[in-house]
Amino acid sequence: MTTRRSGPPKPKRPAVARRKAAAKTTGDFPSRDDILAFVAENPGKAGKREIARHFGITGAGRIQLKKMLKDLAGEGLVAKRQKRLIRPGDLPPVFVVALVARDEDGELLGEPEDWDPESGPTPKVLILTTKGKGPQPGLGDRALIRLTDAETGFEAQYAARIIKVLEKSHGAILGIFRLREGNKWPYLEPIDRKSREMDVDPADLKGARDGDLVSVTVTKSGRYGAPRAEIIERFGAPGSEKAISEIALHSHGIRHEFPREVIAEAEAAKPVTLGKREDWRQIPLVTIDPPDAKDHDDAVFAEPDEDPANEGGQVVYVAIADVAHYIRPGSALDREAHLRGNSVYFPDRVIPMLPERISNDLCSLREKEDRPAMAVRMVFDKTGRKTGHTFHRVLMRSAAKLSYLQAQKAIDGVLDDKTETLVDGVLKPIWAAYAVLKLGRDAREPLELDLPERKIALKEDGSVDHVYVPERLDAHKLIEEFMIQANVAAAETLEKKKTALLYRIHDASTPEKLEHLKEFLSTINMKLPSTGGLRPSVFNGILAKVKDGPQSQLINEVILRSQAQAEYNPQNIGHFGLNLRRYAHFTSPIRRYADLIVHRGLVAAHGLGDDGLPEGIEAKLEAIGAEISAAERKAMLAERDTIDRLIALWMAEQIGATFKGRIAGVVKSGMFIRLNDTGADGFVPASTIGLDYYRYDEGSHSLIGDKSGETYQLGDIVDVKLVEAAPFAGALRFEVLTPGRKGSGGSGGAQRRGRASPGRAPGRSGSRSGPKGGTTPGPKRPGTSGGGKSGSKPSRAARKARASTRENSGNES
């Protein structure tokens, strides 16, 4: 029986039905409040058509409605999501939550995994369960839920019922094993700083030594005294990449061990023979990948079009590993791939979506070996416009395995034993085709953000050797554009064949984010148009003005932060970043479950086998899209956290050293600093800056001194000293050495509010006076509480806001 919630009385819902009847009777047009009330009562379901039907709006009234909705969106009162309207900050009807707490009645509370911190505090969702029926979730689980209209009580803003439990928590806790003096009653320092220290049972230490990374399970807990735990597994000294990535796997709940039945299915798989497939083994397709790639899921070739009606045109072949042949719907392999959603990439370790027998062997397009593939043949005219395409299920044989640098060097005239036989007949035709496709890309004008991605080079022992930013070559851009065009072709075909699919969608920026961007640009004398629909070309024009200038990287990052996040959804709204009407992921089925669904759709649409989409999949695609979108976010956070921890561990030996960096983020509690040489990120708490009290100005992304007006703004170059490193929190704390830019003294918010500005006691590490005259402790070590909101470790929301994701920038191949 479902628990009925007590709590404060809910506001009476607006009588939309009565207003609807009145509007029909009197002929009155619904008011703005009427429209907003309807949108509020139907989050994610109210589009222009639904609103018109509900209020009986017909004929010329639809034009008036369209204008009203445009005005409401411009004022930030509604936002569009997949052709439906929601209030800014509303949740979609179906999404993934992490079950993070229980309320005072013992009911589970969840938080959405995919929440934009700029939308405000993360909302709590009351999870309604029925005992004995359906999935029974527990604390620490992940679940797919659907919102309901039930009462929520005091602690939650929404209520929902579970569609299914995605992952069960295993209850293990990760931490650093410590020995007390005399080696009696060792204890655990949990990696999660919110957890308490706990005593470790000395009966079986699994060989753990002081400072080792271990996982434990709690055997005794109570209100008084430290909990007691026993060691489950020892990972050894935590100074290696493997140990650091283990922390990320555990803290983000990423599946990394395949069940026995999944391994058994993979091992039983057999190589594919030609059978009914087309034989493409004579086409000299090549793979071009990073030098350390273990799986190769795409191969390419190109040649001039011989059709005299398409003079100057090109034919491009893209062959993609035929994962659908091996991963049948409903199999153990399929269920596991669905749960994982995607592969996760750490600096020297991959957590694959599929077992190695599949990902690195049978589906990997190995050099000189027969492999099954789903291929597309695309024809482009001389302007780069695609004039046609066809899909084929083939058997292929890769002519060569090349790295990006190797292929680029060959085109630049530096040949080796392998490329000297390929350069004229294979590589030059591929580059010629890319020159044509680039014309089409330039005409399309996708969002062209330039944000170099840092990489970590490791030593043999797994520790950090150095951090670098790899050069972006034409070879990278070529493969990216070939893959984008193949993805477009897949979406177009499935749409034309009326076959179910998951689109890769990327919405336009919300009015709130655009307003923040306008405010920031105004502080550096740049403008964003106030009217008219914004296209990627508008942002590109701004980027072109600052290209190669001192503010280039700053503007790129601010524009990135103004963008929405890409996701998977069966409802198409297009891809804003790529400036494409329809787009789907097809080219990486080894590492993305969404691509496998698209492959199955192509098999079904063309009648190419019995391993296509299963019956009834249409009704499940919305939920699947929400699940794998959440899995993608989780993987990105895990990858980012691992890099942060590795760099913090590496820099822990450089305490006291000074560095030159740039302010890469500004929040209420302080500033993020990105070092020029390594790309390492650290935090400067606001409480440690100068002798003034600094307030956050959201519009200009600045901290401004109340008394002096001294300003630190996003993008400023500063010198900093490394004060402390907390490797397991991935946190570096800096002290800023460079004075802020001079402002008009005394213009800060405190004086405008009619009270004295709070000051600080002398000394950067001392106390400071709080806004009400009290004292606040000075900065603590990274990862600890204290120091109010100006503690040394930024909030989770701030860290999420800082973390950039590639799909925002349109890097979507």
Side-chain angles (χ1 to χ4, degrees), residues 93-164:
V94 175
F95 56 97
V96 176
V97 293
L99 304 181
V100 297
R102 290 188 184 273
D103 67 7
E104 60 183 12
D105 294 333
E107 301 293 334
L108 283 168
L109 296 173
E111 290 184 352
E113 286 198 342
D114 185 14
W115 179 256
D116 186 346
E118 294 187 14
S119 297
T122 306
K124 291 288 192 298
V125 183
L126 173 69
I127 305 301
L128 303 174
T129 58
T130 303
K131 293 184 178 179
K133 295 181 180 180
Q136 296 301 309
L139 200 60
D141 294 351
R142 296 173 64 246
L144 183 70
I145 63 171
R146 185 182 297 277
L147 293 180
T148 74
D149 293 330
E151 296 290 337
T152 63
F154 292 95
E155 299 178 48
Q157 294 80 49
Y158 298 86
R161 295 193 182 278
I162 287 185
I163 298 174
K164 68 175 170 179

Side-chain angles (χ1 to χ4, degrees), residues 196-200 218-222 224-229:
R196 297 168 60 191
E197 288 184 356
M198 56 191 71
D199 293 330
V200 174
V218 177
T219 58
K220 180 183 177 182
S221 61
Y224 305 104
R228 184 173 297 181

Side-chain angles (χ1 to χ4, degrees), residues 586-642:
F586 157 73
T587 54
S588 294
I590 288 177
R591 62 184 179 92
R592 294 188 303 224
Y593 193 75
D595 302 56
L596 176 56
I597 290 176
V598 169
H599 275 240
R600 289 172 177 166
L602 292 167
V603 170
H606 292 90
L608 296 175
D610 60 358
D611 47 0
L613 286 173
E615 290 186 10
I617 189 68
E618 294 87 349
K620 302 176 182 177
L621 283 181
E622 181 184 25
I624 292 173
E627 291 170 55
I628 59 180
S629 295
E632 178 184 50
R633 305 280 187 267
K634 184 170 66 170
M636 289 180 173
L637 286 173
E639 292 165 3
R640 174 67 189 234
D641 285 354
T642 296

Side-chain angles (χ1 to χ4, degrees), residues 20 29-30 34-36 38-39 42 45-57 62 65 68-69 72 78 84-85:
K20 172 186 172 184
F29 195 82
D34 293 339
I35 300 293
L36 291 173
F38 182 74
V39 170
N42 297 274
K45 300 177 183 178
K48 184 173 68 175
R49 182 182 301 174
E50 288 73 23
I51 294 172
R53 184 184 301 122
H54 183 84
F55 290 102
I57 301 171
R62 288 179 175 267
L65 174 62
M68 178 182 285
L69 294 179
L72 291 173
V78 296
R84 298 292 185 269
L85 297 171

Side-chain angles (χ1 to χ4, degrees), residues 323-576:
V323 176
H325 173 82
Y326 291 102
I327 314 300
R328 300 295 176 109
S331 65
L333 278 164
D334 181 48
R335 292 193 299 272
E336 184 68 17
H338 183 173
L339 284 172
R340 295 187 176 216
N342 45 253
S343 299
V344 185
Y345 292 85
F346 296 123
D348 196 33
R349 184 181 182 189
V350 177
I351 307 301
M353 185 180 76
L354 302 170
E356 288 193 6
R357 168 67 173 161
I358 303 294
S359 60
N360 291 357
D361 185 2
L362 295 177
C363 283
S364 185
L365 306 182
R366 291 180 173 180
E367 184 179 64
K368 309 296 185 185
E369 295 185 24
D370 290 357
R371 286 292 183 268
M374 182 68 72
V376 59
R377 179 183 185 272
M378 299 176 287
V379 180
F380 297 86
D381 66 19
K382 63 183 180 181
T383 69
R385 183 178 64 88
K386 182 164 66 66
T387 60
H389 66 266
T390 53
F391 280 91
H392 311 260
R393 210 168 193 183
V394 307
L395 191 69
M396 60 154 287
R397 182 182 296 151
S398 171
K401 167 191 168 184
L402 303 174
S403 71
Y404 288 113
L405 183 59
Q406 188 179 20
Q408 187 69 56
K409 282 186 174 181
I411 289 297
D412 294 340
V414 182
L415 305 176
D416 58 28
D417 291 343
K418 182 180 289 187
T419 56
E420 68 179 1
T421 62
L422 299 169
V423 64
D424 290 326
V426 177
L427 293 179
K428 286 184 178 179
I430 290 175
W431 253 259
Y434 170 58
V436 168
L437 266 64
K438 189 175 182 300
L439 294 175
R441 178 184 176 89
D442 292 344
R444 191 176 80 239
E445 291 192 273
L447 186 57
E448 298 283 7
L449 291 172
D450 182 16
L451 292 164
E453 186 179 1
R454 61 179 176 166
K455 298 285 186 181
I456 292 180
L458 300 175
K459 299 177 183 176
E460 290 186 6
D461 63 0
S463 61
V464 176
D465 183 44
H466 64 278
V467 182
Y468 66 101
V469 175
E471 182 183 2
R472 185 154 165 79
L473 307 169
D474 279 346
H476 294 101
K477 299 174 186 177
L478 178 153
I479 294 298
E480 179 181 285
E481 189 59 27
F482 279 21
M483 298 304 113
I484 287 172
Q485 292 299 332
N487 288 335
V488 170
E492 289 175 346
T493 291
L494 293 179
E495 194 173 279
K496 183 177 181 180
K497 296 276 189 179
K498 298 185 177 357
T499 303
L501 78 149
L502 277 177
Y503 292 94
R504 180 64 166 178
I505 62 172
H506 182 212
D507 209 347
S509 303
T510 64
E512 293 81 10
K513 287 187 174 183
L514 287 177
E515 191 59 37
H516 292 161
L517 178 60
K518 288 178 183 177
E519 289 177 6
F520 174 74
L521 292 175
S522 69
T523 67
I524 54 174
N525 298 317
M526 298 190 74
K527 290 185 178 180
L528 194 67
S530 300
T531 59
L534 290 181
R535 305 304 307 162
S537 58
V538 175
F539 297 108
N540 290 342
I542 294 171
L543 295 170
K545 291 178 182 177
V546 298
K547 187 177 182 180
D548 299 326
Q551 295 178 319
S552 176
Q553 190 170 8
L554 164 65
I555 303 302
N556 272 271
E557 290 186 357
V558 174
I559 289 178
L560 171 68
R561 293 173 190 180
S562 74
Q563 303 302 304
Q565 289 185 314
E567 61 180 283
Y568 297 105
N569 200 289
Q571 301 299 321
N572 184 32
I573 60 169
H575 196 294
F576 178 83

Side-chain angles (χ1 to χ4, degrees), residues 32-33 36 39 71-79 86-88 511-512:
R32 289 161 53 98
D33 289 343
L36 291 173
V39 170
D71 290 342
L72 291 173
E75 295 172 30
L77 297 175
V78 296
I86 61 172
R87 294 175 304 174
E512 293 81 10

Side-chain angles (χ1 to χ4, degrees), residues 649-689:
L649 186 68
W650 176 51
M651 295 191 67
E653 300 177 358
Q654 303 179 59
I655 301 297
T658 59
F659 305 91
K660 189 170 289 294
R662 186 175 52 83
I663 299 176
V666 182
V667 291
K668 292 179 181 178
S669 54
M671 308 181 296
F672 295 102
I673 306 297
R674 181 164 300 153
L675 303 186
N676 292 351
D677 292 338
T678 63
D681 286 318
F683 193 65
V684 175
S687 61
T688 66
I689 304 174

